[in-house]
Amino acid sequence: MKWKLTARFLLSVLSIVIIVIFVNTAILIGLLSYQLDRGIAYTEEIFVRDFQKYIEISNGTPSVSEEGLQRLHQRNAWIQLLDVNGQVLESHYAPDKAQSHYAPIDLIQVYKYQEFDADTTVYVGSKDAVSYLVGIKGSDTARLVMHFSGSSVLQFIGKFGLFIVIADLLVATLVGWLFGRTLTKPLHAIIERIRHLKNHEHMPNKMPGGVYKPVFENLNEVSRELAAHEQERKRLEMMREEWISNVSHDMKTPLASIRGYAELLNDGKMTPGEQTEYAQIIEKQSLHMQDLLDDLNLTMRLRHQQLPLSLTEVNMVQFIREIVIDTLNTPQYEQANIEFNATKDVIKHHIDEHFMRRAVMNFLHNALLHNPSDVAVNVLVDDTSITISDNGKGISAEDLEHIFERYYRGTNTEQTLGTGLGTAIARDIIEAHGGTVTITSEEEQQGTTVSIQLQEEKKE
């Protein structure tokens, strides 16, 4: 860009120089033509002056040599030789209307006004006491008669200089204005663009062509980055405010319970058994608050894509089988009826094992926790999905509409504990892996099906 600007400036300077030279030349030619129209004539004065060598004077009688006559014939010219009184002594090729005697006024008249013929130019010369008139026919003949004086020369130079100065100023002004306009117009646009950025106006501008195109491309790129940073700042601010609001809301109930039982303990009128019971309730509520904070922090990070996943290639068949076995090894579910099936022995996906385990276990434990103890659960793994189905109580249509909402607890969960965030967290974890999850239940008492669709692996 630096060289383009330099080249454009240099081109403008060269343009000014060329235009000035052209204008100055035109003005000089015009002034010369004007002066010539006012009386500057063209002639071959040298031919007339040098013709003296062809005039021979013998005993006071002039004559023209043969060579001189040949020269006159070649130039289509004529000559008249005059004595001091203006009497014609000898004539060669002179026209019929030429005079035989010339008074001084006649010589001036012939010389100045060419009265013989419009196509003939007459010149006057002299040698010793003999004067001669030479007439040259033809419009291509030129005579240059110039009269110089100090004042006229200075006047001509002053006039020429004045025209040159005025013309040069006009040319420089015009070219400077054109160049300045092409330079300042995009500069004004750049200044306005920077002012918009200062005022947090991040609308992209049209990019003009030419030497300033990279500047506008960079400004638009800066605008896009600033807009992205502004959106990120607002998102983080909203996330912070939402987190504070949720913490305040979620902590009210357990804190109220803890405070109430703590006041009862401070009363000092309770039996040891009641004290132990209240202390256990306080501990339980404290653990519940800790779970709430952990789950709330996790769901906020998942919602705002702030959770970094450590992806590794995992055999999903073995991974889900281990989750089923771990669930059956849990004392609470050791009598559960869980059937595991897979369409292949090896089905590989890139997942974060820690978070994916939590999501799958949430759906699996929900199938066991919210159904009768004799419920049958089937877990199926195929190439792109994990399906967890049961033949339990099912979920009502009203509950299905809100199943992924935070803190929502269905009508069949009154007797179970939880933060109300588990299903939402599980759904967010699956979506963070690029997958989707759907929960279906055709009608109550007909069971529930959870279908986890995993992102297809790219084939190399």
Side-chain angles (χ1 to χ4, degrees):
M1 180 177 175
K2 173 184 175 182
W3 291 110
K4 289 183 178 179
L5 286 173
T6 304
R8 175 172 290 190
F9 180 76
L10 180 60
L11 180 61
S12 300
V13 174
L14 291 176
S15 301
I16 293 174
V17 172
I18 293 173
I19 294 173
V20 166
I21 292 175
F22 176 79
V23 171
N24 292 347
T25 304
I27 292 175
L28 178 61
I29 294 174
L31 288 175
L32 288 175
S33 300
Y34 175 74
Q35 290 297 106
L36 290 174
D37 289 340
R38 293 184 61 187
I40 299 178
Y42 295 91
T43 185
E44 286 193 358
E45 188 71 27
I46 296 177
F47 170 75
V48 176
R49 186 172 57 252
D50 289 346
F51 199 80
Q52 297 176 2
K53 62 184 178 182
Y54 304 117
I55 298 176
E56 301 174 351
I57 301 176
S58 176
N59 298 322
T61 302
S63 63
V64 179
S65 65
E66 289 295 328
E67 185 179 357
L69 294 175
Q70 292 178 2
R71 291 277 294 168
L72 289 173
H73 181 72
Q74 292 173 358
R75 302 302 298 268
N76 194 22
W78 53 266
I79 189 171
Q80 286 183 311
L81 303 177
L82 312 177
D83 60 15
V84 293
N85 297 318
Q87 184 65 37
V88 176
L89 301 177
E90 187 174 349
S91 177
H92 298 279
Y93 312 122
D96 296 336
K97 57 183 178 181
Q99 299 175 217
S100 59
H101 181 273
Y102 292 90
I105 189 64
D106 296 329
L107 293 175
I108 296 173
Q109 191 78 7
V110 170
Y111 177 79
K112 187 173 182 180
Y113 298 107
Q114 305 177 358
E115 290 190 349
F116 285 108
D117 191 345
D119 192 37
T120 300
T121 304
V122 179
Y123 307 92
V124 178
S126 65
K127 181 176 181 181
D128 297 335
V130 177
S131 299
Y132 58 90
L133 298 179
V134 176
I136 301 176
K137 297 181 180 181
S139 58
D140 58 340
T141 304
R143 176 209 301 162
L144 179 61
V145 178
M146 299 186 68
H147 302 278
F148 290 99
S149 67
S151 59
S152 63
V153 171
L154 291 176
Q155 184 180 8
F156 177 79
I157 294 175
K159 186 184 299 184
F160 176 75
L162 179 61
F163 277 111
I164 290 296
V165 170
I166 294 175
D168 291 353
L169 287 176
L170 290 176
V171 169
T173 301
L174 178 61
V175 177
W177 179 79
L178 292 175
F179 176 72
R181 187 171 181 270
T182 59
L183 180 67
T184 56
K185 186 177 180 180
L187 286 179
H188 175 72
I190 292 172
I191 293 172
E192 284 297 306
R193 190 74 181 97
I194 294 174
R195 186 180 63 81
H196 291 164
L197 293 178
K198 177 184 176 182
N199 295 332
H200 305 285
E201 299 173 7
H202 303 301
M203 294 298 294
N205 283 7
K206 294 181 180 180
M207 287 189 297
V211 69
Y212 291 100
K213 183 177 180 180
V215 177
F216 285 95
E217 289 178 348
N218 290 330
L219 283 176
N220 283 340
E221 182 63 26
V222 170
S223 178
R224 285 190 290 269
E225 292 182 3
L226 289 177
H229 290 322
E230 182 69 14
Q231 291 179 355
E232 178 68 11
R233 185 191 66 79
K234 291 180 178 179
R235 188 183 66 81
L236 292 176
E237 182 69 18
M238 185 182 300
M239 179 179 175
R240 182 183 67 84
E241 293 179 358
E242 184 180 358
W243 192 89
I244 294 174
S245 176
N246 289 333
V247 168
S248 301
H249 174 271
D250 296 339
M251 294 296 113
K252 285 181 179 179
T253 300
L255 279 175
S257 179
I258 291 173
R259 181 177 179 181
Y261 284 106
E263 289 176 352
L264 292 175
L265 287 174
N266 287 331
D267 193 19
K269 297 179 180 180
M270 292 176 291
T271 63
E274 290 176 331
Q275 291 179 350
T276 302
E277 180 184 356
Y278 293 164
Q280 290 176 348
I281 293 174
I282 291 174
E283 181 182 8
K284 181 179 178 181
Q285 293 297 332
S286 299
L287 293 174
H288 180 63
M289 287 177 61
Q290 181 177 350
D291 292 340
L292 270 174
L293 285 173
D294 292 341
D295 287 354
L296 182 60
N297 186 50
L298 179 58
T299 189
M300 292 296 293
R301 294 176 66 189
L302 286 168
R303 174 172 296 185
H304 296 279
Q305 290 84 42
Q306 295 294 315
L307 183 67
L309 299 177
S310 179
L311 300 179
T312 56
E313 190 178 58
V314 176
N315 181 2
M316 297 303 295
V317 176
Q318 182 180 351
F319 177 71
I320 301 300
R321 182 186 290 116
E322 290 177 356
I323 292 177
V324 172
I325 293 173
D326 291 341
T327 301
L328 292 173
N329 288 335
T330 302
Q332 184 180 357
Y333 304 118
E334 60 184 0
Q335 300 299 324
N337 181 11
I338 304 176
E339 182 180 352
F340 174 79
N341 293 287
T343 58
K344 296 180 181 179
D345 292 334
V346 178
I347 300 175
K348 292 186 177 182
H349 283 274
H350 286 82
I351 63 171
D352 186 306
E353 293 188 60
H354 172 72
F355 290 109
M356 184 62 76
R357 178 182 295 273
R358 173 164 182 169
V360 174
M361 289 184 67
N362 176 271
F363 293 123
L364 181 58
H365 288 182
N366 282 345
L368 298 172
L369 185 63
H370 302 302
N371 285 305
S373 59
D374 60 346
V375 66
V377 179
N378 182 270
V379 180
L380 174 64
V381 180
D382 61 19
D383 288 338
T384 59
S385 66
I386 303 168
T387 304
I388 302 173
S389 59
D390 64 68
N391 60 353
K393 296 184 296 183
I395 304 175
S396 66
E398 180 183 358
D399 290 340
L400 274 177
E401 293 180 3
H402 307 281
I403 194 68
F404 291 115
E405 292 183 8
R406 294 168 53 210
Y407 309 115
Y408 181 80
R409 297 175 64 80
T411 56
N412 62 352
T413 62
E414 293 88 350
Q415 305 301 319
T416 60
L417 298 175
T419 63
L421 297 172
T423 305
I425 291 175
R427 187 272 312 271
D428 291 341
I429 290 174
I430 300 301
E431 291 182 350
H433 282 79
T436 59
V437 57
T438 57
I439 299 178
T440 57
S441 183
E442 294 184 2
E443 56 182 284
E444 294 189 50
Q445 308 302 325
Q446 294 298 318
T448 303
T449 300
V450 178
S451 178
I452 302 172
Q453 295 294 323
L454 300 176
Q455 187 178 29
E456 293 187 13
E457 293 292 302
K458 295 181 181 180
K459 296 181 180 180
E460 297 182 358

